[in-house]
Amino acid sequence: MKRFIRAAAIAALVVTTNAAAFAAGDDVKNPTAQGWSWDGIFGKFDRAQLQRGFQVYKEVCAACHELRYVSFRNLTEVGFSEAQSKAIAASYEVIDGPNDEGEMFKRPGRLADRIPAPFANEKAARAANNGAAPPNLSLITKARHDGSNYVFSLVSGYEKPPASMKVAEGMNYNPYFPGHQIAMAPPLEDGKVQFADSTAATVKQMASDVTAFLTWAAEPGLEARKRLGFKVMIFLLVLTALFIAAKQKVWRDLH
Amino acid sequence: MSNMQLKNPILRWIEYRLPIFSFLDDSLGSNYPAPKNLNYWWNFGSLAGIALVLQIVTGIVLAMHYVPHVDYAFDSVERIMREVNYGWFLRYLHANGAALFFLVVYVHVFRGLYYGSYKYPREILWWLGIVIMVLMMATAFMGYVLPWGQMSYWAATVITNLFTALPWVGVNITEWLWGGFTVGNPTLNRFFSLHYVLPFAIVGVVFLHLWALHQHKSNNPLGIDIKGPQDTIPFHPYYTYKDLAGLGVFLLVLAAFVFYSPNYMGHPDNYIPANPLQTPAHIVPEWYFLPFYAILRAIPSKLGGVIAMAASIFVLFLLPWIDTSRVRSTKFRPVYRYFFWFLVIDVIVLGIVGAKPPEGIWILVGRLATLYYFVHFIIIMPFVGWFERPLPVPDSIHKPVLVSAGAAAVEAQR
C-alpha cells in the first residue's frame, strides 16, 4: 500500500510538472514536431541552414519584423566570414548621431550595429500593419511554447478556413495561431527567395531554415551550452561516484 | 568545547586567539554528535543550505549586470544571456537553482512532518524553518518579477493586488507597496532591493535554525531521544561524506536542467517584454507556488482566498500542539502513516489544480483538495493522535542499529 501510494505520488508529480509547462491549451492545433539538428544532448546548428535562414529573414520577415538583440557582428557565429558580415552590415543604412552640428545622420552599417528595425517604433509598426504590431523575432522560439516547432508550423501551416468560420477583414486563417485568425498574410510561397547554395526554396525548406535561424537568434549560446553540459555531466558523474565510494568507505567500519 | 590538538603552529596561534577551528569542529565537525541512524531524507537540510549559497553567489554576479528599470530590465537580462561571459550559465543556474531549492526545502519540510521533527523540544527549530520558507517565497516572487517579462509583470500585479483585499487599509497598503498607483518602476526598484537583501536575512535565520538544531541535535527516523554517546556518531566524517554523496546527485539534476532543459520549468510568456495593456491568456506562477495558488483561488471571495492561503502556512506553526501523538516518528504510527501520504497526494493535486485554468471540474477538485488540506491539520492530526495506538518504540537508537546490522533473521520475524 505504502509503495503504491509512493508510486502514485511520483506519477502525480510528473503529471503536475508537465501540466505546468503545458498550461496554455486552447483549441489551438499543436505544432508538428520536426526533429531539428539542435535537438538532443549533442545538438548543433547547421551553418549552411542558418545562412539560408538569415536570407529568408532578411528578404521576407525583415520587411515587418525586427530582430532586436542580434548585431551584425553576431553573423560570424552563423558562419559568415568577418568580411561577409561587414559587407552585409554595409548594405544597411543606420541612423547615427547626433553629429557635431547636433543632427542625426545616416551611414552604412558596421559590425557593432544591431540589425536595424523596419519601423521607427511600435506605433509606426502598428500603423503600417493594420493595427497589429509584428513581434520582435529575436526571442520568438523561446517566447512560444514548443517554439521552434511552433514557428515552423505557423509560417508553413496556413490553410483555407473551415466553412463554419468567418475570417475577419484583413485576417488570415492559421490553425496553429491562438484564435486561428492572424494578421500576418502567408509569408512564404515556393521560390520566394533564391538560395545561393541552389537549395530548392520550397515553403517547407524556407520555413525550416528560418526556424533554424530564429532558434539560433533566440539562443546563440545553445551549442556552447550543450558542449559544456556534456563535460560537466561527465565530471559530475565521476565526482558523485567518488563521493558515494568515499561515503561507503567511511561508513563501512561503523557497524 | 573541543579539545582539538592542532599540529600546525600557525593554526594553533590563531586558535588561541580566535577559537574558530574548535567552533567549526563543534558545529559541523568531528565534535558534533549526530544520531547514527539518519537516513538519506536527512540530506535535504544541508542541501538546502548549499542551494542558498549557490543562489547568493550566482545572484550577486547577476546583479552586477542587471538594470532595475522598467525600460532596461528585460534588455539587460538578454544582455546577460548573450553578451556577458557565461551569463546564460549564471542565469540558468539561478533560475533552475531557485526551483530546485524549493524542491529540496519541500522535501525537507515533509521529512520533518513524517518524523515529527516539530515536536518537543524542537518547536522553535520548526518555526524558524517555516520563517525561512516564507522568506524564500517572498524572495523568489520578487526575483521572478525582475526580468520584467509578461509573467513577471502580471504575477506582480496579481500578487500585490491580494493586499487590496484587506478591509479599510487594503488599497493604501497596496499603493504603499507599489510606490505609486500601479505596478511600475518604483515597484521594480524596491523588489530588486528586497530581492538582494532578503537572502541575507534568510542566512541569518538559517544560523538561528542551526543554533536551535544544535541545542537538541537532529531528530532521527525512530523519533526517540539520544540516550548517550553509543547512539551518536561524529558529524564529520560520517555525515559530511553522506551529504557530499547527496550533493553530487543534486548537482547532476541541476546540471541536467541547466544544460539540457533550462527553460522547462519556466513559462514562455516571460520571454515577452512586460506589456501592461495585454494580459496573458493564463497567469500561472512557477510550479513551486501552484499548491498555494490553488488554495488562493479555491475560496470564492478575494479576502477569503488570501486568508486561506496565509492560513495554509500559518497552520504549520501550530503543529507542535495540533499533533497529539505520543510518538514522533510516523514509522510507529500505523494509522497516521496513511494520512501522511494522503496529505502528500493532496498537495500534489493542489499543484495540478493551480496549473489549470479555474473552470469546470478543476474548481470542485481545488475546493475539495483545499478543504482536505485544512481537515488534515485541524481534525485528522489531533484525533488520530488521540485514538491511534502507536507501535512499540525501540528503547534506544543504538539497539535497533545493532539489530538491523546484525541479522536479517530478526527482520524476517517482524
Side-chain angles (χ1 to χ4, degrees):
Chain A
M1 179 65 182
K2 203 164 128 194
R3 191 156 293 172
F4 164 75
I5 292 175
R6 210 173 287 173
I10 291 167
L13 186 72
V14 172
V15 171
T16 332
T17 47
N18 280 293
F22 296 104
D26 300 304
D27 59 338
V28 186
K29 198 166 162 186
N30 280 331
T32 47
Q34 295 302 310
W36 301 102
S37 67
W38 58 87
D39 291 342
I41 59 173
F42 298 111
K44 279 195 182 76
F45 293 114
D46 170 356
R47 289 291 175 285
Q49 184 177 36
L50 289 182
Q51 293 179 20
R52 289 197 302 271
F54 171 67
Q55 189 185 345
V56 175
Y57 166 75
K58 188 174 173 236
E59 294 177 13
V60 183
C61 318
C64 304
H65 291 277
E66 65 171 320
L67 198 63
R68 183 172 188 159
Y69 299 114
V70 180
S71 302
F72 290 112
R73 66 190 155 83
N74 297 127
L75 292 178
T76 54
E77 300 161 37
V78 168
F80 291 112
S81 68
E82 197 176 319
Q84 284 173 313
S85 304
K86 269 186 182 154
I88 293 169
S91 70
Y92 283 80
E93 265 195 338
V94 174
I95 296 174
D96 201 350
N99 61 13
D100 292 347
E101 280 79 45
E103 306 288 337
M104 302 302 281
F105 59 93
K106 285 184 175 174
R107 61 161 173 78
R110 295 193 288 245
L111 285 183
D113 293 320
R114 287 187 171 180
I115 297 180
F119 300 104
N121 52 56
E122 199 202 308
K123 289 258 169 67
R126 231 172 246 290
N129 287 284
N130 211 3
N136 165 20
L137 289 187
S138 52
L139 276 171
I140 199 75
T141 62
K142 282 165 92 176
R144 298 291 183 275
H145 179 63
D146 194 13
S148 299
N149 289 327
Y150 170 80
V151 168
F152 174 85
S153 300
L154 187 87
V155 298
S156 65
Y158 282 82
E159 286 173 12
K160 281 213 169 72
S164 59
M165 186 169 173
K166 185 128 178 67
V167 177
E169 180 72 24
M171 302 295 269
N172 306 277
Y173 180 80
N174 191 314
Y176 300 100
F177 191 74
H180 296 187
Q181 296 193 56
I182 183 168
M184 176 170 72
L188 302 174
E189 60 199 63
D190 288 339
K192 183 115 180 176
V193 301
Q194 284 271 314
F195 286 131
D197 61 2
S198 71
T199 305
T202 62
V203 168
K204 290 236 140 111
Q205 184 66 43
M206 289 183 288
S208 57
D209 291 350
V210 81
T211 299
F213 175 72
L214 292 176
T215 305
W216 166 84
E219 187 142 19
L222 182 145
E223 290 174 323
R225 167 160 64 78
K226 293 190 171 182
R227 260 200 322 269
L228 179 62
F230 186 68
K231 291 178 201 162
V232 170
M233 293 303 280
I234 297 286
F235 172 81
L236 284 177
L237 277 171
V238 173
L239 185 73
T240 305
L242 287 175
F243 280 157
I244 291 170
K247 186 257 163 189
Q248 302 290 23
K249 186 169 158 49
V250 167
W251 280 70
R252 191 182 301 143
D253 36 279
L254 183 66
H255 298 299
Chain B
M1 258 293 138
S2 170
N3 45 359
M4 280 192 99
Q5 299 301 316
L6 289 165
K7 287 203 183 81
N8 186 317
I10 297 172
L11 296 188
R12 212 161 47 225
W13 188 91
I14 297 172
E15 171 73 17
Y16 185 68
R17 285 149 184 85
L18 177 73
I20 191 167
F21 301 108
S22 54
F23 174 78
L24 286 175
D25 197 47
D26 293 345
S27 312
L28 12 96
S30 55
N31 208 38
Y32 177 64
K36 63 194 331 179
N37 61 336
L38 301 185
N39 57 29
Y40 271 104
W41 296 110
W42 261 263
N43 277 49
F44 288 84
S46 72
L47 264 189
I50 293 167
L52 173 63
V53 172
L54 181 73
Q55 289 308 99
I56 289 178
V57 171
T58 51
I60 286 173
V61 183
L62 286 170
M64 294 173 186
H65 301 279
Y66 170 76
V67 182
H69 186 286
V70 290
D71 292 338
Y72 304 108
F74 191 90
D75 285 0
S76 76
V77 171
E78 272 312 303
R79 209 187 111 76
I80 290 170
M81 295 297 287
R82 291 158 192 269
E83 315 291 347
V84 174
N85 290 337
Y86 292 97
W88 57 267
F89 179 56
L90 286 169
R91 176 163 172 263
Y92 282 154
L93 261 185
H94 198 70
N96 290 286
L100 290 191
F101 189 10
F102 271 96
L103 183 68
V104 165
V105 163
Y106 287 162
V107 173
H108 189 59
V109 170
F110 273 110
R111 191 270 288 150
L113 277 173
Y114 187 86
Y115 293 111
S117 299
Y118 47 83
K119 290 173 82 73
Y120 170 89
R122 297 187 179 84
E123 297 93 333
I124 293 184
L125 171 61
W126 175 255
W127 290 344
L128 290 167
I130 300 165
V131 169
I132 293 170
M133 191 173 82
V134 172
L135 284 173
M136 274 175 66
M137 288 172 167
T139 309
F141 159 66
M142 288 189 269
Y144 191 62
V145 173
L146 299 186
W148 213 242
Q150 272 289 66
M151 278 297 161
S152 297
Y153 179 86
W154 289 98
T157 303
V158 168
I159 301 301
T160 50
N161 261 305
L162 295 180
F163 290 92
T164 61
L166 298 173
W168 305 106
V169 292
V171 174
N172 303 49
I173 287 184
T174 310
E175 288 177 354
W176 176 70
L177 288 172
W178 285 338
F181 298 103
T182 179
V183 173
N185 199 50
T187 323
L188 179 61
N189 266 280
R190 61 194 54 190
F191 276 21
F192 176 59
S193 169
L194 291 172
H195 183 71
Y196 203 120
V197 80
L198 280 183
F200 297 98
I202 294 177
V203 170
V205 185
V206 166
F207 270 101
L208 295 178
H209 191 65
L210 287 175
W211 194 1
L213 172 74
H214 287 194
Q215 179 69 5
H216 290 284
K217 313 288 184 269
S218 293
N219 184 28
N220 64 81
L222 298 175
I224 56 178
D225 291 333
I226 295 170
K227 301 269 164 59
Q230 72 280 8
D231 289 345
T232 66
I233 46 177
F235 190 83
H236 179 73
Y238 294 105
Y239 288 112
T240 41
Y241 277 92
K242 195 167 180 174
D243 283 349
L244 280 179
L247 175 65
V249 176
F250 171 80
L251 290 178
L252 273 169
V253 175
L254 177 60
F257 273 111
V258 166
F259 291 110
Y260 297 115
S261 220
N263 293 307
Y264 181 75
M265 290 190 279
H267 196 292
D269 276 30
N270 226 25
Y271 282 109
I272 304 171
N275 182 354
L277 301 176
Q278 191 186 17
T279 319
H282 302 293
I283 301 177
V284 191
E286 295 281 85
W287 66 262
Y288 40 84
F289 289 140
L290 289 174
F292 301 102
Y293 194 52
I295 291 174
L296 171 75
R297 297 192 302 184
I299 314 290
S301 113
K302 193 165 163 185
L303 181 59
V306 173
I307 291 173
M309 188 168 70
S312 69
I313 295 172
F314 180 75
V315 73
L316 298 176
F317 280 102
L318 306 177
L319 275 193
W321 295 278
I322 287 174
D323 182 2
T324 53
S325 170
R326 279 154 287 170
V327 301
R328 290 199 189 100
S329 176
T330 303
K331 204 177 159 120
F332 303 110
R333 302 186 60 186
V335 180
Y336 182 71
R337 185 183 295 175
Y338 293 104
F339 288 110
F340 172 84
W341 288 108
F342 282 134
L343 178 72
V344 174
I345 292 172
D346 184 60
V347 170
I348 291 168
V349 168
L350 280 170
I352 297 171
V353 173
K356 301 285 179 188
E359 54 198 28
I361 186 76
W362 297 111
I363 296 178
L364 182 66
V365 176
R367 287 181 184 163
L368 289 176
T370 301
L371 182 68
Y372 183 79
Y373 181 90
F374 288 105
V375 165
H376 175 94
F377 287 113
I378 294 167
I379 297 172
I380 293 174
M381 265 190 119
F383 279 89
V384 171
W386 278 323
F387 296 119
E388 179 184 50
R389 280 188 61 193
L391 301 174
V393 174
D395 290 334
S396 78
I397 297 172
H398 181 58
K399 222 172 127 198
V401 167
L402 279 181
V403 168
S404 62
V410 183
E411 183 71 28
Q413 281 173 1
R414 286 206 279 159

Short mmCIF file of all heavy atoms in Angstrom, two decimals, chain B residues 375-399:
data_model
loop_
_atom_site.label_atom_id
_atom_site.label_comp_id
_atom_site.label_asym_id
_atom_site.label_seq_id
_atom_site.Cartn_x
_atom_site.Cartn_y
_atom_site.Cartn_z
N VAL B 375 -8.57 20.05 6.78
CA VAL B 375 -9.11 18.96 7.59
C VAL B 375 -7.96 18.10 8.12
O VAL B 375 -7.98 17.68 9.28
CB VAL B 375 -10.10 18.11 6.75
CG1 VAL B 375 -10.39 16.78 7.44
CG2 VAL B 375 -11.40 18.87 6.54
N HIS B 376 -6.97 17.89 7.29
CA HIS B 376 -5.83 17.08 7.74
C HIS B 376 -5.22 17.67 9.01
O HIS B 376 -5.00 16.97 9.99
CB HIS B 376 -4.76 16.99 6.66
CG HIS B 376 -3.52 16.28 7.11
ND1 HIS B 376 -3.31 14.94 6.90
CD2 HIS B 376 -2.42 16.71 7.80
CE1 HIS B 376 -2.16 14.58 7.43
NE2 HIS B 376 -1.59 15.64 7.98
N PHE B 377 -4.95 18.96 8.98
CA PHE B 377 -4.25 19.57 10.11
C PHE B 377 -5.18 19.82 11.30
O PHE B 377 -4.79 19.62 12.44
CB PHE B 377 -3.58 20.88 9.67
CG PHE B 377 -2.37 20.64 8.79
CD1 PHE B 377 -2.38 21.01 7.45
CD2 PHE B 377 -1.24 20.02 9.29
CE1 PHE B 377 -1.29 20.79 6.64
CE2 PHE B 377 -0.13 19.79 8.49
CZ PHE B 377 -0.16 20.17 7.16
N ILE B 378 -6.39 20.28 11.01
CA ILE B 378 -7.24 20.73 12.11
C ILE B 378 -8.02 19.58 12.75
O ILE B 378 -8.26 19.58 13.95
CB ILE B 378 -8.18 21.85 11.62
CG1 ILE B 378 -7.33 23.07 11.24
CG2 ILE B 378 -9.19 22.25 12.69
CD1 ILE B 378 -8.07 24.11 10.46
N ILE B 379 -8.38 18.58 11.97
CA ILE B 379 -9.20 17.49 12.52
C ILE B 379 -8.43 16.18 12.60
O ILE B 379 -8.32 15.57 13.68
CB ILE B 379 -10.49 17.30 11.68
CG1 ILE B 379 -11.32 18.58 11.76
CG2 ILE B 379 -11.28 16.10 12.18
CD1 ILE B 379 -12.50 18.63 10.84
N ILE B 380 -7.85 15.75 11.48
CA ILE B 380 -7.25 14.42 11.45
C ILE B 380 -6.07 14.32 12.41
O ILE B 380 -5.97 13.38 13.20
CB ILE B 380 -6.81 14.06 10.01
CG1 ILE B 380 -8.05 13.92 9.14
CG2 ILE B 380 -5.99 12.77 10.00
CD1 ILE B 380 -7.77 13.71 7.68
N MET B 381 -5.18 15.31 12.37
CA MET B 381 -3.96 15.22 13.19
C MET B 381 -4.27 15.09 14.68
O MET B 381 -3.79 14.15 15.33
CB MET B 381 -3.05 16.41 12.94
CG MET B 381 -1.99 16.10 11.90
SD MET B 381 -0.77 17.40 11.84
CE MET B 381 0.68 16.50 12.27
N PRO B 382 -5.10 15.98 15.27
CA PRO B 382 -5.36 15.80 16.70
C PRO B 382 -6.12 14.51 17.01
O PRO B 382 -5.78 13.82 17.99
CB PRO B 382 -6.19 17.04 17.07
CG PRO B 382 -6.59 17.70 15.81
CD PRO B 382 -5.66 17.24 14.75
N PHE B 383 -7.10 14.16 16.18
CA PHE B 383 -7.92 12.99 16.52
C PHE B 383 -7.17 11.68 16.35
O PHE B 383 -7.25 10.80 17.21
CB PHE B 383 -9.22 13.00 15.71
CG PHE B 383 -10.24 13.92 16.31
CD1 PHE B 383 -10.30 15.26 15.95
CD2 PHE B 383 -11.12 13.47 17.29
CE1 PHE B 383 -11.21 16.13 16.52
CE2 PHE B 383 -12.04 14.32 17.87
CZ PHE B 383 -12.09 15.65 17.48
N VAL B 384 -6.43 11.58 15.26
CA VAL B 384 -5.64 10.34 15.07
C VAL B 384 -4.65 10.20 16.22
O VAL B 384 -4.44 9.11 16.76
CB VAL B 384 -4.93 10.34 13.70
CG1 VAL B 384 -3.96 9.17 13.61
CG2 VAL B 384 -5.96 10.26 12.58
N GLY B 385 -4.06 11.32 16.62
CA GLY B 385 -3.11 11.28 17.73
C GLY B 385 -3.74 10.76 19.01
O GLY B 385 -3.12 10.03 19.78
N TRP B 386 -5.01 11.11 19.24
CA TRP B 386 -5.69 10.65 20.45
C TRP B 386 -6.03 9.16 20.39
O TRP B 386 -5.86 8.43 21.35
CB TRP B 386 -6.97 11.45 20.68
CG TRP B 386 -6.73 12.78 21.35
CD1 TRP B 386 -5.82 13.04 22.31
CD2 TRP B 386 -7.41 14.01 21.08
NE1 TRP B 386 -5.89 14.37 22.67
CE2 TRP B 386 -6.86 15.00 21.93
CE3 TRP B 386 -8.44 14.39 20.20
CZ2 TRP B 386 -7.29 16.31 21.94
CZ3 TRP B 386 -8.87 15.70 20.23
CH2 TRP B 386 -8.30 16.66 21.08
N PHE B 387 -6.54 8.74 19.21
CA PHE B 387 -7.12 7.41 19.17
C PHE B 387 -6.16 6.32 18.72
O PHE B 387 -6.38 5.14 18.98
CB PHE B 387 -8.36 7.41 18.26
CG PHE B 387 -9.45 8.29 18.79
CD1 PHE B 387 -9.92 9.39 18.08
CD2 PHE B 387 -9.99 8.04 20.05
CE1 PHE B 387 -10.92 10.20 18.59
CE2 PHE B 387 -10.99 8.85 20.56
CZ PHE B 387 -11.46 9.94 19.84
N GLU B 388 -5.10 6.72 18.04
CA GLU B 388 -4.19 5.73 17.47
C GLU B 388 -3.34 5.08 18.57
O GLU B 388 -2.94 5.73 19.53
CB GLU B 388 -3.27 6.46 16.48
CG GLU B 388 -2.26 5.62 15.80
CD GLU B 388 -1.36 6.51 14.93
OE1 GLU B 388 -0.85 7.52 15.44
OE2 GLU B 388 -1.21 6.19 13.77
N ARG B 389 -3.11 3.75 18.43
CA ARG B 389 -2.17 3.08 19.35
C ARG B 389 -0.86 2.89 18.62
O ARG B 389 -0.75 2.05 17.73
CB ARG B 389 -2.73 1.72 19.78
CG ARG B 389 -3.76 1.85 20.90
CD ARG B 389 -4.14 0.50 21.43
NE ARG B 389 -3.00 -0.23 22.00
CZ ARG B 389 -3.07 -1.54 22.29
NH1 ARG B 389 -4.14 -2.24 22.01
NH2 ARG B 389 -2.03 -2.13 22.83
N PRO B 390 0.14 3.66 19.01
CA PRO B 390 1.42 3.56 18.29
C PRO B 390 2.04 2.18 18.48
O PRO B 390 1.79 1.49 19.47
CB PRO B 390 2.29 4.62 18.96
CG PRO B 390 1.38 5.45 19.79
CD PRO B 390 0.19 4.62 20.11
N LEU B 391 2.84 1.76 17.51
CA LEU B 391 3.59 0.51 17.62
C LEU B 391 4.65 0.68 18.71
O LEU B 391 5.01 1.80 19.07
CB LEU B 391 4.27 0.19 16.29
CG LEU B 391 3.34 0.04 15.09
CD1 LEU B 391 4.17 -0.13 13.82
CD2 LEU B 391 2.40 -1.14 15.27
N PRO B 392 5.14 -0.44 19.28
CA PRO B 392 6.19 -0.31 20.29
C PRO B 392 7.43 0.40 19.72
O PRO B 392 7.88 0.07 18.62
CB PRO B 392 6.51 -1.76 20.67
CG PRO B 392 5.87 -2.60 19.64
CD PRO B 392 4.75 -1.83 19.05
N VAL B 393 7.92 1.36 20.47
CA VAL B 393 9.06 2.15 20.03
C VAL B 393 10.32 1.58 20.67
O VAL B 393 10.30 1.22 21.84
CB VAL B 393 8.85 3.62 20.46
CG1 VAL B 393 10.09 4.45 20.16
CG2 VAL B 393 7.63 4.20 19.79
N PRO B 394 11.41 1.45 19.91
CA PRO B 394 12.64 0.89 20.49
C PRO B 394 13.15 1.74 21.65
O PRO B 394 12.85 2.93 21.74
CB PRO B 394 13.64 0.93 19.33
CG PRO B 394 12.89 1.33 18.14
CD PRO B 394 11.55 1.84 18.52
N ASP B 395 13.94 1.11 22.53
CA ASP B 395 14.45 1.81 23.69
C ASP B 395 15.53 2.82 23.34
O ASP B 395 15.64 3.87 23.94
CB ASP B 395 15.05 0.81 24.69
CG ASP B 395 13.95 0.00 25.34
OD1 ASP B 395 12.82 0.52 25.40
OD2 ASP B 395 14.22 -1.14 25.75
N SER B 396 16.36 2.43 22.38
CA SER B 396 17.46 3.33 22.05
C SER B 396 17.79 3.25 20.57
O SER B 396 17.40 2.30 19.89
CB SER B 396 18.70 2.98 22.87
OG SER B 396 19.33 1.85 22.30
N ILE B 397 18.47 4.28 20.11
CA ILE B 397 18.90 4.31 18.71
C ILE B 397 19.94 3.22 18.49
O ILE B 397 19.96 2.54 17.46
CB ILE B 397 19.51 5.69 18.38
CG1 ILE B 397 18.43 6.78 18.52
CG2 ILE B 397 20.10 5.71 16.98
CD1 ILE B 397 18.98 8.19 18.40
N HIS B 398 20.77 3.02 19.50
CA HIS B 398 21.88 2.10 19.42
C HIS B 398 21.41 0.68 19.12
O HIS B 398 21.94 0.00 18.25
CB HIS B 398 22.62 2.15 20.77
CG HIS B 398 23.82 1.24 20.83
ND1 HIS B 398 24.86 1.35 19.95
CD2 HIS B 398 24.12 0.24 21.68
CE1 HIS B 398 25.76 0.45 20.24
NE2 HIS B 398 25.35 -0.24 21.29
N LYS B 399 20.38 0.23 19.87
CA LYS B 399 19.96 -1.15 19.78
C LYS B 399 19.44 -1.54 18.40
O LYS B 399 19.97 -2.49 17.80
CB LYS B 399 18.92 -1.45 20.85
CG LYS B 399 19.15 -2.80 21.54
CD LYS B 399 18.22 -2.96 22.71
CE LYS B 399 17.47 -4.27 22.58
NZ LYS B 399 16.27 -4.29 23.42
#
